[in-house]
Amino acid sequence: MFSSFSSFSNPFRLPRFFSSSASSAVIIDPVEIHDVEVSHEKRARTLKHLLKLNHVNHSVIYHDLVFHNHMPHLLGSAYLLGADTAHLNGIYEQESKELEPWHDSPGEVSTYDWRDYLGNPKYQRAYVDFFEDELVLNGYNWKKVLEEYLFMGKEPLINNLICGLGHPLIHLGYTYELSSRELAMEALSMACSSYDHLHKYLDDPKFTRPSSNGTQSPLELLYRVQKDSRFDGLFPHGGAGNLAPLFEEHEAEVLEYWNAWHTVNPTEEFKASQMAAAALLVATQRPGEKSYDFFIVHLLTTSHAVRILLPVIPARYHGALVRQWWLLTLAVYIAQLRPEINLNAVTEYDRKGKDWLWVERQAVVGKHALDAHYVKALRAMKTAAQTWGDEDSFYLKAAVRFANDFDGWGGFGF
């Protein structure tokens, strides 16, 4: 498992992940699709009805247009881990207490001006209405609507799914896993409403530059970032507020590491990135600490979403999808003050015989079973183990340690 982290240097080589050719394709099997729209099984019917209720009753962005609606993520994860109907209903009841109803947008959007309001969360309702109109015009074929609006134009939405801390990307992953047209419309609205400046790094090729110090290993690059004194003392504490000034004042340094991830075998490099995502969450935890980093967990759950999407989107977009995850990863890691990654904290962890069934039980009936990010993180590690095999039990050890130690979230900077 660890052999894929050997370094590779090729002076002044353009990162091949940016390529739109077939050579940049990541070859993995699709996950099982659970079409809750047509299933007659009671749990599936319950999930379908709850997703529709959430779609009708709750906005996708709330709390001063800052927070994202995680209801579908938690419902979907719990369902896929075997939750019964009572637990699914309990999730809906609990999550609904925090969410907010839809509010009218300042105006409508149309096929002629829908891009004019990108990045304005006040138009989230208008975007849902617009895309649902498009759904009707396309015979309720939600995949066709996604294909048209994700991939169209010189600056396609697919290149900015990491906006909003990656929540549009996560939402889109659940769209395909659960085959839900409601989630598809929400994902498009979320992508439009949260749209930000990060798209330019994928849309404009001038930001992809030769690197003389590249490697195939994302973990090796993270080790370098951790030791790079240029990032010392940038921020007094971690928190989402560090992301904007990081790009404003240290764009060159971030892009240096972004361009240093080279690919020879895109599938193997993506495999390495999934291991790095799990390590970032669990192997950065200091002994005795119980709160895990809230922002770093999004690097794992967005990696999971990338894994879901790669087999179902055109191969020419694989590189851009993986590279935007890497950009988000670098930015969040630096913004959270570059915690040391100690792989031994996972590889030498004694799980005391606990297996995946124990992990699933913690996610569904454990004391944190109503915490969306906790449940999503456990399922992401399980899916990674299923995707790549887990002969070293790396993902299982990471999941057991996380489930054992977790007692809330930190890293907010206050």
Side-chain angles (χ1 to χ4, degrees):
M1 167 174 272
F2 300 102
S3 61
S4 61
F5 289 97
S6 58
S7 63
F8 175 81
S9 179
N10 187 352
F12 304 108
R13 177 176 181 270
L14 283 173
R16 207 173 71 192
F17 256 139
F18 193 74
S19 169
S20 60
S21 68
S23 64
S24 66
V26 176
I27 309 300
I28 51 177
D29 292 331
V31 297
E32 180 182 358
I33 303 301
H34 299 261
D35 193 342
V36 297
E37 286 291 332
V38 300
S39 175
H40 298 292
E41 190 254 340
K42 185 176 181 180
R43 289 191 325 115
R45 296 199 319 270
T46 300
L47 177 61
K48 175 180 68 174
H49 296 318
L50 294 176
L51 291 175
K52 291 180 184 294
L53 273 176
N54 179 65
H55 182 72
V56 170
N57 292 329
H58 303 127
S59 60
V60 294
I61 307 175
Y62 67 103
H63 190 74
D64 297 325
L65 300 177
V66 173
F67 293 172
H68 295 80
N69 185 334
H70 293 84
M71 175 86 80
H73 312 167
L74 180 53
L75 284 171
S77 292
Y79 170 80
L80 295 170
L81 290 171
D84 60 22
T85 57
H87 184 55
L88 295 174
N89 283 313
I91 288 172
Y92 185 87
E93 180 179 351
Q94 183 65 30
E95 285 287 295
S96 295
K97 295 176 182 178
E98 180 180 313
L99 298 175
E100 297 175 3
W102 291 101
H103 298 286
D104 291 338
S105 297
E108 296 184 348
V109 301
S110 69
T111 53
Y112 304 103
D113 65 3
W114 70 275
R115 293 192 68 94
D116 293 348
Y117 307 101
L118 292 178
N120 189 339
K122 292 181 180 180
Y123 280 83
Q124 59 172 318
R125 177 74 249 185
Y127 275 119
V128 167
D129 292 339
F130 168 67
F131 289 121
E132 289 186 338
D133 289 344
E134 293 296 294
L135 183 66
V136 174
L137 293 175
N138 285 279
Y140 289 91
N141 185 337
W142 59 267
K143 292 182 180 179
K144 189 174 180 181
V145 178
L146 284 179
E147 289 166 3
E148 179 176 354
Y149 285 95
L150 283 177
F151 307 125
M152 72 185 302
K154 294 182 178 179
E155 297 183 347
L157 286 180
I158 189 72
N159 282 351
N160 194 220
L161 293 180
I162 57 169
C163 62
L165 201 59
H167 286 101
L169 176 57
I170 296 168
H171 218 82
L172 192 62
Y174 284 96
T175 294
Y176 279 95
E177 275 197 282
L178 302 174
S179 192
S180 169
R181 67 190 184 200
E182 283 78 21
L183 296 192
M185 302 302 100
E186 292 169 7
L188 284 171
S189 175
M190 198 178 286
C192 291
S193 301
S194 302
Y195 197 80
D196 63 18
H197 71 285
L198 294 176
H199 76 91
K200 69 181 181 181
Y201 299 109
L202 281 300
D203 289 330
D204 191 338
K206 76 179 183 182
F207 293 106
T208 297
R209 302 160 184 164
S211 173
S212 61
N213 195 26
T215 173
Q216 293 166 245
S217 167
L219 261 185
E220 181 176 323
L221 289 171
L222 291 170
Y223 290 144
R224 294 181 192 173
V225 171
Q226 202 275 326
K227 296 180 183 301
D228 192 331
S229 60
R230 293 177 296 174
F231 298 118
D232 290 350
L234 294 188
F235 312 109
H237 50 69
N242 295 340
L243 291 172
L246 175 64
F247 281 97
E248 291 169 1
E249 301 170 19
H250 303 280
E251 177 188 78
E253 295 94 319
V254 174
L255 295 186
E256 175 185 326
Y257 284 100
W258 186 53
N259 284 310
W261 189 18
H262 289 174
T263 63
V264 173
N265 183 329
T267 303
E268 286 299 310
E269 272 76 79
F270 178 62
K271 176 182 178 181
S273 76
Q274 290 232 278
M275 180 181 173
L280 276 167
L281 177 64
V282 184
T284 56
Q285 193 73 352
R286 296 174 182 173
E289 285 185 340
K290 295 296 183 181
S291 62
Y292 279 75
D293 194 294
F294 176 80
F295 298 101
I296 286 180
V297 72
H298 287 80
L299 307 179
L300 175 60
T301 53
T302 50
S303 176
H304 171 77
V306 172
R307 184 266 174 269
I308 302 302
L309 294 175
L310 285 172
V312 297
I313 67 171
R316 65 182 181 276
Y317 294 105
H318 285 194
L321 187 61
V322 176
R323 290 198 79 218
Q324 65 182 287
W325 171 85
W326 178 232
L327 182 63
L328 178 67
T329 295
L330 287 169
V332 170
Y333 182 61
I334 296 168
Q336 294 307 98
L337 311 185
R338 299 135 59 220
E340 182 180 359
I341 303 169
N342 176 19
L343 278 185
N344 290 338
V346 176
T347 58
E348 297 181 4
Y349 183 76
D350 182 4
R351 55 188 176 88
K352 301 186 187 307
K354 295 183 172 90
D355 57 11
W356 284 114
L357 289 176
W358 180 86
V359 172
E360 292 172 13
R361 185 170 178 80
Q362 305 315 301
V364 174
V365 299
K367 66 178 181 177
H368 300 293
L370 295 178
D371 186 307
H373 296 90
Y374 171 83
V375 177
K376 287 190 293 182
L378 290 175
R379 196 172 77 84
M381 288 185 274
K382 180 188 176 188
T383 302
Q386 292 171 329
T387 300
W388 309 110
D390 198 20
E391 62 184 28
D392 300 315
S393 297
F394 179 84
Y395 290 109
L396 178 56
K397 289 178 179 179
V400 170
R401 184 184 175 195
F402 175 67
N404 258 335
D405 292 352
F406 180 82
D407 193 25
W409 297 105
F412 300 102
F414 51 78

